[in-house]
Amino acid sequence: MSKVTSDMAISLDGFAAGPNQSLELPFGEGVLHAAVSRWMFEQPEANAEQIAAITAAKAYVMGRNMFGPGRGEWDLEWTGWWGDDPPYHAPVFVLTHHPRAALEMQGGTTFHFVTEGIEAALARAREAAGDGDVSIAGGAATVNQYLAAGLIDELRLHIVPVVLGEGERLLEGVGRLELEPLEVSGNALVTHAAYRPIR
Amino acid sequence: MSKVTSDMAISLDGFAAGPNQSLELPFGEGVLHAAVSRWMFEQPEANAEQIAAITAAKAYVMGRNMFGPGRGEWDLEWTGWWGDDPPYHAPVFVLTHHPRAALEMQGGTTFHFVTEGIEAALARAREAAGDGDVSIAGGAATVNQYLAAGLIDELRLHIVPVVLGEGERLLEGVGRLELEPLEVSGNALVTHAAYRPIR
């Protein structure tokens, strides 16, 4: 059965990004980027199952800030952070207030720009995914919106062992919520903890 | 080797207590108290190792608010939340600005009131514990002070699957910190995750 998932790397104190995110520092200041990179790239074998799950969805939804920096009208030269062959290999629906033509990349990734809000973007992603899962890819503000709306079936946290102290929090503004723990595992670089929000 | 531990139950969004703590609601408003009670009292077998570890220390330190409600001079009728035979069975050093004579309870628990600050309280607890561990029992503000001072060797989180949205946060005001994950396990009611702060 197709479900809506979200994989988020957060610090132990719940931040998905440090302060002062920028083009050069998409995770913001602080050690979060280094900590996230370590578990994904230094120990891929130890985290193989979780890494595979992150890219198993058949369609993605992401916020504008995750696709690229800036606000307002699009800079049409900007085609995302990921180069010519992004790691999604599937349709990606980008939430924005500014229309833009779909952007077909190499390797099966196509970015679609959706101006009708989170439910519309999810509906389009579901349709594109067919029997596959849809992943809400981030950032934190976007995942929080979907959590608040009760639209996420499986929240998979990848908790890196750092305390940041400031930045953009996951799980903020989502109201009171109960969840069912699904899985927990970990190693020296990361703790994986998956939850199903209870409606 | 003797170490300084702290066991804290927190919500998935990092709160050790909900808002508006009071005599009737020591965990504050919200579902935190119920969620904490569930894993400790509904499934003690599934969490036996962690529950045993919480009370394995040979001396404890706690903040004034954990010992009892109110501020200012002591109400000498108040002897803690725990009845005549508190679960500590060891010396407990209570941080306070107001001196009070030591209070000997049944079962080996004696409350000592320390006005000289967190380092003095820890020194007295270490001496009392001998070769045993010292546990910083709470609340969140007290544990945060000890974390910020670099005085905790092992932080054992018991993460209950609820999002509270407001209350008193653990890991707040402790600055940037890196930690080493020690253990992770869990079940349907709680995720246990232990960390060693790296100095």
Side-chain angles (χ1 to χ4, degrees):
Chain A
M1 162 88 180
S2 170
K3 57 185 189 290
V4 180
T5 65
S6 181
D7 283 273
M8 290 294 287
I10 58 172
S11 65
L12 188 57
D13 54 342
F15 293 104
N20 303 319
Q21 287 171 268
S22 67
L23 191 53
E24 292 73 30
L25 294 170
F27 277 91
E29 295 171 353
V31 294
L32 190 61
H33 179 74
V36 171
S37 301
R38 286 186 69 197
W39 75 264
M40 294 196 75
F41 300 116
E42 281 182 27
Q43 296 200 347
E45 327 68 41
N47 302 290
E49 191 186 323
Q50 288 79 18
I51 292 170
I54 293 173
T55 52
K58 298 301 179 203
Y60 295 82
V61 176
M62 67 173 60
R64 157 126 196 200
N65 289 342
M66 183 158 175
F67 179 73
R71 291 174 176 279
E73 296 298 324
W74 287 104
D75 167 6
L76 298 182
E77 307 267 294
W78 181 263
T79 59
W81 299 101
W82 304 275
D84 293 335
D85 184 4
Y88 298 101
H89 311 298
V92 178
F93 296 86
V94 180
L95 297 160
T96 174
H97 296 294
H98 298 275
R100 177 173 175 179
L103 190 59
E104 192 175 338
M105 310 295 289
Q106 294 172 20
T109 300
T110 300
F111 294 108
H112 300 273
F113 299 88
V114 182
T115 56
E116 295 86 6
I118 65 168
E119 304 216 3
L122 181 57
R124 289 185 60 187
R126 277 189 198 276
E127 192 181 343
D131 292 338
D133 291 347
V134 172
S135 173
I136 311 299
T142 298
V143 176
N144 288 344
Q145 278 185 286
Y146 278 99
L147 281 170
L151 295 172
I152 291 182
D153 300 312
E154 203 171 308
L155 178 64
R156 303 191 292 227
L157 303 178
H158 308 287
I159 305 166
V160 293
V162 299
V163 171
L164 277 190
E166 53 181 337
E168 188 181 17
R169 271 193 201 284
L170 192 69
L171 298 176
E172 194 160 72
V174 308
R176 290 187 179 173
L177 193 64
E178 298 191 41
L179 308 95
E180 178 192 349
L182 299 174
E183 276 184 55
V184 62
S185 66
N187 52 57
L189 299 182
V190 64
T191 301
H192 305 290
Y195 292 91
R196 176 182 296 128
I198 299 169
R199 303 254 149 64
Chain B
M1 162 90 180
S2 170
K3 59 185 187 290
V4 179
T5 64
S6 181
D7 284 274
M8 291 293 286
I10 58 172
S11 64
L12 188 58
D13 54 342
F15 293 104
N20 303 319
Q21 287 172 268
S22 66
L23 192 52
E24 292 73 30
L25 294 170
F27 277 91
E29 295 171 356
V31 294
L32 191 61
H33 179 74
V36 171
S37 301
R38 286 186 70 196
W39 75 264
M40 295 196 75
F41 300 116
E42 279 181 30
Q43 295 200 349
E45 327 70 39
N47 302 291
E49 191 186 323
Q50 289 79 18
I51 292 171
I54 293 173
T55 52
K58 298 302 179 202
Y60 294 82
V61 176
M62 68 174 58
R64 156 124 198 201
N65 288 342
M66 183 159 173
F67 179 74
R71 292 173 176 278
E73 297 298 325
W74 286 104
D75 168 5
L76 298 182
E77 307 267 295
W78 181 264
T79 60
W81 300 101
W82 304 275
D84 294 334
D85 185 3
Y88 298 102
H89 312 298
V92 178
F93 296 86
V94 179
L95 297 161
T96 173
H97 296 294
H98 297 276
R100 178 175 175 176
L103 188 60
E104 193 175 338
M105 310 296 289
Q106 294 171 21
T109 300
T110 300
F111 294 107
H112 300 275
F113 299 87
V114 182
T115 57
E116 294 87 5
I118 66 168
E119 304 216 3
L122 181 56
R124 288 185 60 187
R126 276 189 199 276
E127 192 181 344
D131 292 338
D133 290 347
V134 172
S135 172
I136 311 300
T142 298
V143 175
N144 288 344
Q145 278 185 286
Y146 279 99
L147 281 170
L151 294 172
I152 290 181
D153 300 312
E154 202 171 308
L155 177 65
R156 303 191 293 229
L157 302 178
H158 309 287
I159 304 166
V160 293
V162 299
V163 171
L164 278 187
E166 53 179 341
E168 188 181 16
R169 270 193 202 282
L170 193 69
L171 299 176
E172 194 160 69
V174 309
R176 289 187 180 174
L177 193 63
E178 297 192 42
L179 308 96
E180 178 192 349
L182 299 174
E183 274 183 55
V184 62
S185 66
N187 51 56
L189 298 181
V190 64
T191 301
H192 305 291
Y195 292 90
R196 176 182 297 129
I198 299 169
R199 303 252 150 66

